[in-house]
Amino acid sequence: LSMALKKLQGSTGYKLCCRNKIRSLTQKLGMPAFFITLNPHDLMNVLVGNFTGISEEGWRIMTYQRVCFVVPHPGAAPMAFHEQIQAFIDDILCYKWGNELFGTCSGYYGMVEVQG
């Protein structure tokens, strides 16, 4: 049953599948050099405003109105999150691009944890 539910996020089969991927990466590439946790803040990110059509200056002027603005635009926050994570992988890790800030990156494993 756990293998049938391996694509259902949060299920026991999904967690087992993720653990197996991490184990196989560890066998192939060795132990990880370090772990990084990224926690982008949706309400401070200018990209959220850009994806909904607000200028950068307009977004910076807004304070508590950002919360009221993000709620009816549910697609903007995930798009901004994806852009930030992809920029981290491309610009900081430089995966498959050569040496950069942390040296040569031979592999990485990313996971998104959802709260609530």
Side-chain angles (χ1 to χ4, degrees):
L1 181 64
S2 66
M3 291 313 290
L5 296 174
K6 71 180 184 178
K7 294 189 182 205
L8 180 63
Q9 289 187 1
S11 68
T12 306
Y14 180 78
K15 292 175 187 175
L16 181 65
C17 189
C18 291
R19 281 190 213 115
N20 288 339
K21 286 179 188 176
I22 293 169
R23 286 185 187 122
S24 67
L25 278 173
T26 303
Q27 261 186 344
K28 182 178 178 184
L29 302 174
M31 289 299 292
F34 58 87
F35 297 89
I36 299 174
T37 300
L38 301 176
N39 189 12
H41 192 289
D42 295 338
L43 298 179
M44 300 303 287
N45 191 349
V46 177
L47 287 174
V48 175
N50 286 342
F51 286 132
T52 55
I54 293 181
S55 67
E56 185 174 337
E57 296 115 20
W59 185 257
R60 292 190 192 282
I61 291 171
M62 296 170 82
T63 55
Y64 69 91
Q65 298 97 342
R66 291 179 187 169
V67 176
C68 299
F69 187 77
V70 170
V71 170
H73 300 93
M79 288 170 48
F81 176 81
H82 175 73
E83 288 295 321
Q84 283 184 308
I85 300 302
Q86 198 59 50
F88 178 81
I89 292 168
D90 293 342
D91 298 337
I92 305 296
L93 294 182
C94 287
Y95 180 64
K96 295 186 178 180
W97 293 86
N99 290 337
E100 198 51 48
L101 187 61
F102 299 114
T104 303
C105 179
S106 57
Y108 70 92
Y109 185 82
M111 173 156 293
V112 177
E113 180 179 323
V114 179
Q115 299 291 322

